[in-house]
Amino acid sequence: MSFFDYLFFLFIEPLKLLFEVVFFYAYKFSNNAGISIVVISLVINILVLPLYKRADRLEKEQREKKLSMKPWTDKIKAAFKGDERVMMLQAYYRENNYKTTSVFKESVSLFLQIPFFMAAYSFLSGLKLLQGVSLGPITDLGAPDALISIGSLSINALPILMTLINIVSSFIYSEKGNVKDKVKLVLIALVFLVLLYNSPAGLVFYWTLNNVFSLGKNIVTHFHKPSPEKEPKKDSFSFSKKSFAVIMLSCAVLAVLSGIMIPSDVISENPTELIKPFGVDPCNPVLYLLSSALTAIGTFMIWTPLFIILTKNKAHKYLEGIMPALAVAGVCNYVLFNKNFGNLSKKLIYEYSMRFEAKDIIINLIVNAVIIALITLVFLKLKKYKRFIIGVILAGVVAISGINVSLSLSMTVGHNYSYANDSDQIVVPMTSTGKNVVVIMMDRMISGYIPYIMNERPELTEQFDGFTYYHNTISLGHSTNNSVPSLFGGYEYSPANLNKRSDMLLVDKHNEALKVLPTIFANNGWNVTVGDPPYANYEWLSDVSIYDDDDRINAYNMTGVLTQGNPVLTELGEEYENRLNRNLFCYGFMKTLPYLFQPVIYSQGTYDDMNLYTDGSRNVTALSDPLHTQVGLEESQLASRLVLESLDDITEVRDDGVNCFFMFDNNTTHDICLLEEPSYTPAVVVDNTEYDLEHMDRFTVNGRTMHMDDYLSYAHYECAMSTCILLGEWFDYLRENGLYDNTRIIIAADHGYAFNQFDDLMLPELDYDAEQLNPVYLVKDFGSTGFTVSDEFMTIADTPSLALEGIVESPENPFTGKPINMDAKNGDQLIYISGSGSVLTNNGYKLEEADRRWFTVHDNIYDNSNWGQYPGDPE
């Protein structure tokens, strides 16, 4: 962003956010864009009326002072010339307490109009909702009105009407002014005419309403002049420096809390996930803090004090107590009542809908009321130490913010912010004359969906010919960071065994596991390719440099690289950046509010952004309550999907007889959203209501019903179906090129997800849903045929043994020398569970989250009696 962008965030963005919130709820209740524009005009004009009244008073005082001084200034100008005239005028100005800079007071109204005009222009000119919407004779509020047509010439009438109203209002306002003042006001009106002539009609309509309001104000002022005794006294708006200092310190607490402390907390918890939106240049997510901080400073330390200054004296003594109370309440709401609703996505959208229980709302409101009452009373009664107390609070908030920012910097500095390769460098060789082994990790692909997918799309069983579906499968951890090592490295890298190797950092053990299979195959003369190794070097943007020490391994970034040049993803990436620059502050501000008001700001993850709420062209608005409808596209889903769609293009058929190994990770089943049914493809507007209701029977197969109770259930199922369709198309390509029968393919997920969808996976004694630990597991061997289902107990740690079976005799881990086999599957399996789901740092040696648990299971995951909880930590 440029310097002017940052100035925009400081001065204009707070006003723009005000416009957006008012319009958002006006439209939500009226469902009419024209009415919503009228509402924001009324609300904004009422809110800024004190500003304009004070501005009018300043301008009036300035005009009267100039008029009173005019006789003498005229005499001085007539009597003196050159430097002597300048010195005499300066002396006369000093004598009358008049400064040359006072001339700016004559244009206070104009200076006030500029930021509000810029905010309105930025909001309404970019509001996609207005496009194609009519209002009376105006056919499109999103385009110039073109109300008058003379032949082929179209004339925009609304800007002309706006200008005429502006000129009439100006003449009433400057009734006693000189010709110079009137000419100036007419010129200003003409400037707005030029600026807005070709603007969207919705914007011009808003500014016309503002001029009507101004005209009405000037008429009322003209015909209802106050009597001299009721004239406001000069400087009646001033108050003590001590009171102002307390108010400013309180505003500073709110600014630091909402603009720095809370946003930096978000970034420090999700540093690498926020690094790179697809389609735009990468950047350190800490930079988003600058925009949120500037918006907070503009909101609380520029505009809030400006409005406060213009209040009457009687209110100042209350504000001196209320503002510190609001600051303390904001801190308490975040520190004591920081309630979350599942994971927070990189778009600052909660995993689940924001719903507070009534009792929690009541308790929170009571605490807020008590805090505000007590702090207000204390600060009003205190004669001393007020500034000291609020200063201490500010210092504490600044200190915590500094820690968070430092933590964010430490966790983001040194991370990989660029891809290791371009799209044209990605080549996946596969042989038609030798053997191929392919290991595919589909992140979070749920095993239980497979029977329903194959039942709904029977043709997939033909495309997946030769595969065996192992439904009785578990992962040895509940999340990516503690499951991936065992998937690619075997039982030696189970969470329990990772903890036993306490002399090695977790990140190094993770990287080692990702290198086990590629190194073994390379040692046996195979051509080795790796794509997007999951969480490599503990980076969400896979750090393929972990393979740099072995030039026999060709490792690539695929997700994000294969999307380069895609115009949809480029635009989505830019909108993602705009979303974070705007919503990081909104999230911080929301968290300072009582529970009752947080949903008002959150608005299903849109943060009252009308383009996200109604826009039919871009980003997913939220994980919304409706189960079957969605507006927008999810760029992460598109980027991952494009990898699967591109498998045909990057596969290189070879007949040189050299065996080939290919392993890659993909997030099509992780970065989920609704897809259009029955094609299961992305769409700008998805409405599956009719299809879902007509085909609810598809979720019962062989007497086992899969519960579909929320948005996430449908989104996960649809993305799993889409994945099977895309992989099936690649398998067809392999068949056509003689690459299928000689290829062993393993499709495994690192874990499942808990939706309470399967009754036989609920573990009441452990208070846990084992669907979280039931990842997809599909295996196709060389020359195998048919699609079969096996009840055999499997774990994802069987993957290395199955991949190497019949290829390498008695395989050993090239890094530790230990044998790779499935012997450890006999008996209880230790499964690592952590409720925090926190991303591990690369400076730890063991999995040691405070809320960790260890489960055990053996033989049959559907038998509750086979499950148990391991006491303490395994040695």
Side-chain angles (χ1 to χ4, degrees), residues 365-431:
L365 283 176
I366 291 173
V367 172
N368 272 270
V370 170
I371 289 174
I372 291 174
L374 287 177
I375 299 296
T376 300
L377 184 62
V378 168
F379 268 78
L380 290 180
K381 294 296 183 181
L382 277 178
K383 300 298 182 182
K384 299 179 180 180
Y385 310 120
K386 288 186 284 190
R387 284 180 292 176
F388 174 77
I389 293 173
I390 196 66
V392 170
I393 296 173
L394 175 61
V397 172
V398 169
I400 296 173
S401 300
I403 293 171
N404 284 345
V405 172
S406 299
L407 181 61
S408 300
L409 285 169
S410 66
M411 296 183 73
T412 54
V413 170
H415 280 293
N416 182 29
Y417 294 106
S418 61
Y419 295 120
N421 50 272
D422 295 324
S423 57
D424 56 3
Q425 294 176 284
I426 302 175
V427 177
V428 178
M430 294 187 71
T431 178

Coordinates of all heavy atoms in Angstrom, one line a residue, residues 365-431:
L365 N -23.7 -8.6 30.6 CA -24.2 -7.2 30.6 C -24.2 -6.7 32.1 O -23.9 -5.5 32.3 CB -25.7 -7.3 30.1 CG -25.9 -7.3 28.6 CD1 -27.4 -7.4 28.3 CD2 -25.3 -6.1 28.0
I366 N -24.5 -7.6 33.0 CA -24.4 -7.1 34.4 C -23.0 -6.7 34.8 O -22.8 -5.6 35.4 CB -24.9 -8.2 35.4 CG1 -26.4 -8.5 35.2 CG2 -24.6 -7.9 36.8 CD1 -26.9 -9.7 35.9
V367 N -22.0 -7.5 34.4 CA -20.6 -7.2 34.7 C -20.2 -5.8 34.0 O -19.6 -5.0 34.7 CB -19.7 -8.3 34.3 CG1 -18.2 -7.9 34.4 CG2 -19.9 -9.5 35.1
N368 N -20.6 -5.7 32.8 CA -20.3 -4.4 32.1 C -21.0 -3.2 32.8 O -20.3 -2.2 32.9 CB -20.8 -4.5 30.6 CG -19.7 -5.1 29.7 OD1 -18.9 -4.4 29.1 ND2 -19.7 -6.4 29.6
A369 N -22.2 -3.4 33.1 CA -23.0 -2.3 33.8 C -22.3 -1.9 35.1 O -22.1 -0.7 35.4 CB -24.4 -2.7 34.0
V370 N -21.9 -2.9 35.9 CA -21.3 -2.7 37.2 C -19.9 -2.0 37.0 O -19.6 -1.0 37.7 CB -21.0 -4.0 38.0 CG1 -20.2 -3.8 39.2 CG2 -22.4 -4.6 38.4
I371 N -19.1 -2.5 36.0 CA -17.8 -1.8 35.7 C -18.0 -0.4 35.3 O -17.3 0.5 35.8 CB -17.1 -2.6 34.6 CG1 -16.6 -4.0 35.2 CG2 -15.9 -1.8 34.1 CD1 -16.0 -4.9 34.1
I372 N -18.9 -0.1 34.4 CA -19.1 1.2 33.9 C -19.6 2.1 35.0 O -19.1 3.3 35.1 CB -20.1 1.2 32.7 CG1 -19.4 0.5 31.5 CG2 -20.5 2.6 32.3 CD1 -20.4 0.3 30.3
A373 N -20.5 1.6 35.8 CA -21.1 2.5 36.9 C -20.0 2.8 37.9 O -19.8 4.0 38.3 CB -22.2 1.8 37.6
L374 N -19.3 1.8 38.4 CA -18.2 2.0 39.4 C -17.1 2.9 38.9 O -16.7 3.8 39.6 CB -17.7 0.6 39.8 CG -18.6 -0.2 40.7 CD1 -17.9 -1.6 41.0 CD2 -18.9 0.5 42.0
I375 N -16.6 2.6 37.7 CA -15.5 3.4 37.2 C -15.9 4.8 36.9 O -15.2 5.7 37.2 CB -14.9 2.7 35.9 CG1 -14.4 1.3 36.1 CG2 -13.8 3.6 35.3 CD1 -13.2 1.2 37.1
T376 N -17.1 5.0 36.4 CA -17.6 6.4 36.2 C -17.7 7.1 37.5 O -17.2 8.3 37.6 CB -19.0 6.3 35.5 OG1 -18.9 5.6 34.3 CG2 -19.5 7.7 35.3
L377 N -18.3 6.5 38.5 CA -18.4 7.1 39.8 C -17.1 7.4 40.4 O -16.8 8.5 40.9 CB -19.2 6.2 40.7 CG -19.5 6.7 42.1 CD1 -20.4 7.9 42.0 CD2 -20.2 5.6 43.0
V378 N -16.1 6.5 40.3 CA -14.8 6.7 40.9 C -14.1 7.8 40.2 O -13.5 8.7 40.9 CB -14.0 5.4 40.8 CG1 -12.5 5.7 41.1 CG2 -14.5 4.3 41.7
F379 N -14.2 7.9 38.9 CA -13.4 8.9 38.2 C -14.1 10.3 38.4 O -13.4 11.3 38.3 CB -13.3 8.6 36.7 CG -12.1 7.8 36.4 CD1 -12.0 6.5 36.7 CD2 -11.0 8.5 35.8 CE1 -10.9 5.8 36.4 CE2 -9.9 7.8 35.5 CZ -9.8 6.4 35.8
L380 N -15.4 10.3 38.6 CA -16.1 11.6 38.8 C -15.8 12.1 40.2 O -15.7 13.3 40.5 CB -17.6 11.5 38.6 CG -18.1 11.2 37.2 CD1 -19.6 11.1 37.1 CD2 -17.6 12.4 36.3
K381 N -15.6 11.2 41.2 CA -15.3 11.6 42.6 C -13.9 11.9 42.9 O -13.5 12.6 43.7 CB -15.8 10.5 43.5 CG -17.3 10.3 43.5 CD -18.1 11.6 44.0 CE -19.6 11.4 44.0 NZ -20.3 12.6 44.5
L382 N -13.0 11.2 42.1 CA -11.6 11.4 42.3 C -11.1 12.8 42.0 O -11.5 13.4 41.0 CB -10.7 10.4 41.5 CG -10.6 9.0 42.0 CD1 -9.8 8.2 40.9 CD2 -9.8 9.0 43.3
K383 N -10.4 13.4 42.9 CA -9.8 14.7 42.7 C -8.4 14.6 42.1 O -7.9 15.5 41.4 CB -9.7 15.5 44.0 CG -11.1 15.7 44.7 CD -12.0 16.5 43.8 CE -13.4 16.8 44.4 NZ -14.3 17.5 43.5
K384 N -7.7 13.5 42.4 CA -6.4 13.3 42.0 C -6.2 11.9 41.3 O -7.1 11.1 41.5 CB -5.4 13.4 43.1 CG -5.3 14.8 43.8 CD -4.3 14.8 44.9 CE -4.3 16.2 45.6 NZ -3.3 16.2 46.7
Y385 N -5.1 11.7 40.7 CA -4.7 10.3 40.3 C -5.5 9.8 39.1 O -5.3 8.7 38.7 CB -4.8 9.3 41.4 CG -4.0 9.7 42.7 CD1 -4.7 9.9 43.9 CD2 -2.7 10.1 42.6 CE1 -4.1 10.3 45.0 CE2 -2.0 10.5 43.8 CZ -2.7 10.6 45.0 OH -2.1 11.0 46.1
K386 N -6.5 10.6 38.6 CA -7.3 10.1 37.4 C -6.4 9.8 36.2 O -6.5 8.7 35.6 CB -8.3 11.1 37.1 CG -9.5 11.2 38.1 CD -10.6 12.1 37.6 CE -10.2 13.6 37.7 NZ -11.4 14.4 37.5
R387 N -5.5 10.7 35.9 CA -4.6 10.5 34.8 C -3.7 9.4 35.0 O -3.3 8.6 34.1 CB -3.9 11.8 34.4 CG -4.8 12.8 33.7 CD -4.0 14.1 33.3 NE -3.6 14.8 34.6 CZ -2.9 15.9 34.6 NH1 -2.4 16.4 33.4 NH2 -2.6 16.5 35.7
F388 N -3.2 9.3 36.3 CA -2.3 8.2 36.6 C -2.9 6.8 36.5 O -2.3 5.9 35.9 CB -1.8 8.4 38.1 CG -1.0 7.3 38.6 CD1 0.4 7.2 38.2 CD2 -1.5 6.3 39.4 CE1 1.2 6.1 38.7 CE2 -0.7 5.2 39.9 CZ 0.6 5.2 39.5
I389 N -4.2 6.7 36.9 CA -4.8 5.4 36.9 C -5.1 5.0 35.4 O -4.7 3.8 35.0 CB -6.2 5.4 37.6 CG1 -5.9 5.6 39.1 CG2 -7.0 4.1 37.4 CD1 -7.2 5.8 39.9
I390 N -5.6 5.8 34.6 CA -5.9 5.5 33.2 C -4.6 5.3 32.5 O -4.5 4.5 31.5 CB -6.8 6.5 32.5 CG1 -7.4 5.9 31.2 CG2 -6.1 7.8 32.3 CD1 -8.3 4.8 31.4
G391 N -3.5 6.1 32.9 CA -2.2 5.9 32.3 C -1.6 4.6 32.5 O -1.0 4.0 31.7
V392 N -1.8 4.0 33.8 CA -1.4 2.7 34.1 C -2.1 1.7 33.2 O -1.4 0.7 32.7 CB -1.6 2.4 35.6 CG1 -1.3 0.9 35.9 CG2 -0.7 3.3 36.5
I393 N -3.4 1.8 33.1 CA -4.1 0.9 32.2 C -3.6 0.9 30.8 O -3.4 -0.1 30.2 CB -5.6 1.2 32.3 CG1 -6.2 1.0 33.7 CG2 -6.4 0.4 31.3 CD1 -7.6 1.5 33.9
L394 N -3.4 2.2 30.3 CA -2.8 2.3 29.0 C -1.5 1.6 28.8 O -1.2 0.9 27.9 CB -2.8 3.8 28.6 CG -2.1 4.1 27.2 CD1 -2.9 3.4 26.1 CD2 -2.0 5.6 27.0
A395 N -0.6 1.8 29.8 CA 0.7 1.2 29.8 C 0.6 -0.3 29.8 O 1.4 -0.9 29.1 CB 1.5 1.7 31.0
G396 N -0.4 -0.8 30.5 CA -0.5 -2.3 30.5 C -1.0 -2.8 29.2 O -0.4 -3.8 28.7
V397 N -1.9 -2.1 28.6 CA -2.4 -2.5 27.3 C -1.3 -2.4 26.2 O -1.1 -3.3 25.4 CB -3.6 -1.7 26.9 CG1 -4.0 -2.0 25.4 CG2 -4.8 -2.0 27.8
V398 N -0.5 -1.3 26.3 CA 0.6 -1.1 25.4 C 1.6 -2.2 25.6 O 2.2 -2.7 24.6 CB 1.2 0.3 25.6 CG1 2.5 0.4 24.8 CG2 0.2 1.4 25.1
A399 N 1.9 -2.5 26.8 CA 2.9 -3.6 27.1 C 2.5 -4.9 26.5 O 3.3 -5.6 25.9 CB 3.2 -3.7 28.6
I400 N 1.2 -5.3 26.8 CA 0.7 -6.6 26.2 C 0.7 -6.5 24.7 O 1.1 -7.5 24.1 CB -0.7 -6.8 26.8 CG1 -0.6 -7.0 28.3 CG2 -1.3 -8.1 26.1 CD1 -2.0 -7.1 28.9
S401 N 0.3 -5.4 24.1 CA 0.4 -5.3 22.7 C 1.8 -5.4 22.1 O 2.0 -6.0 21.1 CB -0.2 -3.9 22.3 OG -1.5 -3.8 22.7
G402 N 2.7 -4.8 22.9 CA 4.1 -4.9 22.4 C 4.6 -6.3 22.4 O 5.3 -6.8 21.5
I403 N 4.2 -7.1 23.5 CA 4.5 -8.5 23.5 C 3.9 -9.3 22.4 O 4.6 -10.1 21.7 CB 4.1 -9.1 24.9 CG1 4.9 -8.5 26.0 CG2 4.3 -10.6 24.9 CD1 4.4 -8.8 27.4
N404 N 2.6 -9.0 22.1 CA 2.0 -9.7 21.0 C 2.6 -9.3 19.7 O 2.8 -10.2 18.8 CB 0.5 -9.3 21.0 CG -0.3 -10.0 22.0 OD1 0.1 -10.9 22.6 ND2 -1.5 -9.5 22.3
V405 N 2.9 -8.1 19.5 CA 3.5 -7.7 18.2 C 4.9 -8.3 18.1 O 5.3 -8.8 17.0 CB 3.7 -6.1 18.1 CG1 4.5 -5.7 16.9 CG2 2.3 -5.5 18.0
S406 N 5.7 -8.3 19.1 CA 7.0 -9.0 19.1 C 6.9 -10.4 18.8 O 7.6 -11.0 18.0 CB 7.7 -8.8 20.4 OG 7.9 -7.4 20.7
L407 N 5.9 -11.1 19.4 CA 5.6 -12.5 19.2 C 5.3 -12.7 17.7 O 5.7 -13.7 17.1 CB 4.5 -13.0 20.1 CG 4.2 -14.5 20.0 CD1 5.4 -15.4 20.3 CD2 3.0 -14.8 21.0
S408 N 4.4 -11.9 17.2 CA 4.0 -12.0 15.8 C 5.2 -11.8 14.9 O 5.3 -12.6 13.9 CB 2.9 -10.9 15.5 OG 1.8 -11.1 16.3
L409 N 6.0 -10.9 15.2 CA 7.2 -10.6 14.4 C 8.2 -11.8 14.5 O 8.7 -12.3 13.4 CB 7.9 -9.4 14.8 CG 7.3 -8.0 14.4 CD1 8.0 -6.9 15.1 CD2 7.4 -7.8 12.9
S410 N 8.3 -12.3 15.7 CA 9.3 -13.5 15.8 C 8.8 -14.7 15.1 O 9.5 -15.5 14.7 CB 9.5 -13.8 17.3 OG 8.3 -14.2 17.9
M411 N 7.4 -14.8 15.0 CA 6.8 -16.0 14.4 C 6.7 -15.9 12.9 O 6.5 -16.9 12.2 CB 5.5 -16.3 15.0 CG 5.5 -16.7 16.5 SD 3.9 -17.1 17.2 CE 3.7 -18.7 16.5
T412 N 6.8 -14.7 12.4 CA 6.7 -14.5 11.0 C 8.0 -14.1 10.3 O 8.2 -14.5 9.1 CB 5.7 -13.3 10.7 OG1 6.1 -12.2 11.4 CG2 4.3 -13.7 11.1
V413 N 8.9 -13.5 11.0 CA 10.2 -13.2 10.4 C 10.9 -14.5 10.2 O 11.0 -15.4 11.0 CB 11.0 -12.3 11.3 CG1 12.5 -12.2 10.8 CG2 10.4 -10.9 11.4
G414 N 11.5 -14.6 9.0 CA 12.2 -15.9 8.6 C 11.3 -16.9 8.0 O 11.8 -17.9 7.5
H415 N 10.0 -16.7 7.9 CA 9.1 -17.6 7.2 C 9.3 -17.4 5.7 O 9.7 -16.4 5.2 CB 7.7 -17.4 7.6 CG 7.3 -18.0 8.9 ND1 7.3 -19.4 9.1 CD2 7.0 -17.4 10.1 CE1 6.9 -19.6 10.4 NE2 6.8 -18.5 11.0
N416 N 8.9 -18.5 5.0 CA 8.9 -18.5 3.6 C 7.8 -17.7 3.0 O 6.6 -18.0 3.3 CB 8.9 -19.9 3.1 CG 9.0 -20.0 1.6 OD1 9.6 -19.1 0.9 ND2 8.4 -21.0 1.0
Y417 N 8.0 -16.6 2.2 CA 7.0 -15.8 1.7 C 6.9 -15.9 0.1 O 6.3 -15.0 -0.5 CB 7.2 -14.3 2.1 CG 7.0 -14.1 3.6 CD1 8.1 -13.8 4.4 CD2 5.7 -14.1 4.1 CE1 7.9 -13.6 5.7 CE2 5.6 -13.9 5.5 CZ 6.7 -13.7 6.3 OH 6.5 -13.5 7.6
S418 N 7.6 -16.9 -0.4 CA 7.5 -17.0 -1.9 C 7.6 -18.5 -2.2 O 8.0 -19.3 -1.5 CB 8.7 -16.3 -2.5 OG 9.9 -16.8 -2.0
Y419 N 7.1 -18.8 -3.4 CA 7.1 -20.1 -3.9 C 8.5 -20.5 -4.5 O 9.2 -19.6 -4.9 CB 6.1 -20.3 -5.0 CG 4.6 -20.1 -4.6 CD1 3.8 -19.1 -5.1 CD2 4.1 -20.9 -3.6 CE1 2.5 -18.9 -4.7 CE2 2.8 -20.7 -3.1 CZ 2.0 -19.7 -3.7 OH 0.7 -19.6 -3.2
A420 N 8.8 -21.7 -4.4 CA 10.1 -22.2 -4.8 C 10.3 -22.4 -6.3 O 11.3 -22.6 -6.8 CB 10.5 -23.5 -4.1
N421 N 9.1 -22.4 -7.0 CA 9.2 -22.7 -8.4 C 8.0 -22.0 -9.1 O 7.0 -21.5 -8.5 CB 9.1 -24.2 -8.6 CG 7.9 -24.8 -7.8 OD1 8.1 -25.2 -6.7 ND2 6.8 -24.9 -8.5
D422 N 8.1 -22.0 -10.4 CA 7.0 -21.5 -11.3 C 6.2 -22.7 -11.8 O 6.6 -23.8 -11.7 CB 7.5 -20.7 -12.5 CG 8.2 -19.4 -12.0 OD1 7.7 -18.8 -11.0 OD2 9.2 -19.0 -12.7
S423 N 5.0 -22.4 -12.3 CA 4.1 -23.5 -12.7 C 4.7 -24.3 -13.9 O 4.5 -25.5 -13.9 CB 2.8 -22.9 -13.2 OG 3.0 -22.0 -14.2
D424 N 5.5 -23.7 -14.8 CA 6.0 -24.4 -15.9 C 7.2 -25.3 -15.5 O 7.7 -26.1 -16.3 CB 6.5 -23.5 -17.0 CG 7.5 -22.4 -16.5 OD1 7.9 -22.4 -15.4 OD2 7.8 -21.6 -17.4
Q425 N 7.7 -25.2 -14.2 CA 8.7 -26.1 -13.8 C 8.2 -27.4 -13.2 O 9.0 -28.3 -13.0 CB 9.6 -25.3 -12.7 CG 10.3 -24.1 -13.2 CD 11.0 -23.4 -12.1 OE1 10.4 -22.7 -11.3 NE2 12.3 -23.6 -12.0
I426 N 6.9 -27.5 -12.9 CA 6.4 -28.6 -12.3 C 6.2 -29.8 -13.3 O 5.4 -29.6 -14.3 CB 5.0 -28.3 -11.6 CG1 5.2 -27.2 -10.6 CG2 4.4 -29.6 -11.0 CD1 3.9 -26.7 -10.0
V427 N 6.9 -30.8 -13.1 CA 6.8 -32.0 -14.0 C 6.7 -33.3 -13.1 O 7.5 -33.4 -12.2 CB 8.0 -32.1 -14.9 CG1 7.9 -33.4 -15.7 CG2 8.1 -30.9 -15.8
V428 N 5.7 -34.1 -13.3 CA 5.6 -35.3 -12.6 C 5.7 -36.5 -13.5 O 4.8 -36.9 -14.3 CB 4.2 -35.4 -11.9 CG1 4.0 -36.8 -11.1 CG2 4.0 -34.2 -10.9
P429 N 6.9 -37.1 -13.6 CA 7.2 -38.2 -14.5 C 6.5 -39.5 -14.0 O 6.5 -39.8 -12.8 CB 8.7 -38.4 -14.5 CG 9.1 -37.8 -13.2 CD 8.2 -36.7 -12.8
M430 N 5.9 -40.2 -14.9 CA 5.3 -41.5 -14.6 C 5.6 -42.5 -15.8 O 5.5 -42.1 -16.9 CB 3.8 -41.4 -14.4 CG 3.4 -40.6 -13.1 SD 1.7 -40.7 -12.7 CE 1.5 -42.4 -12.1
T431 N 6.0 -43.7 -15.4 CA 6.5 -44.6 -16.4 C 5.4 -45.5 -16.9 O 4.5 -46.0 -16.1 CB 7.7 -45.4 -15.9 OG1 8.1 -46.3 -16.9 CG2 7.3 -46.2 -14.7

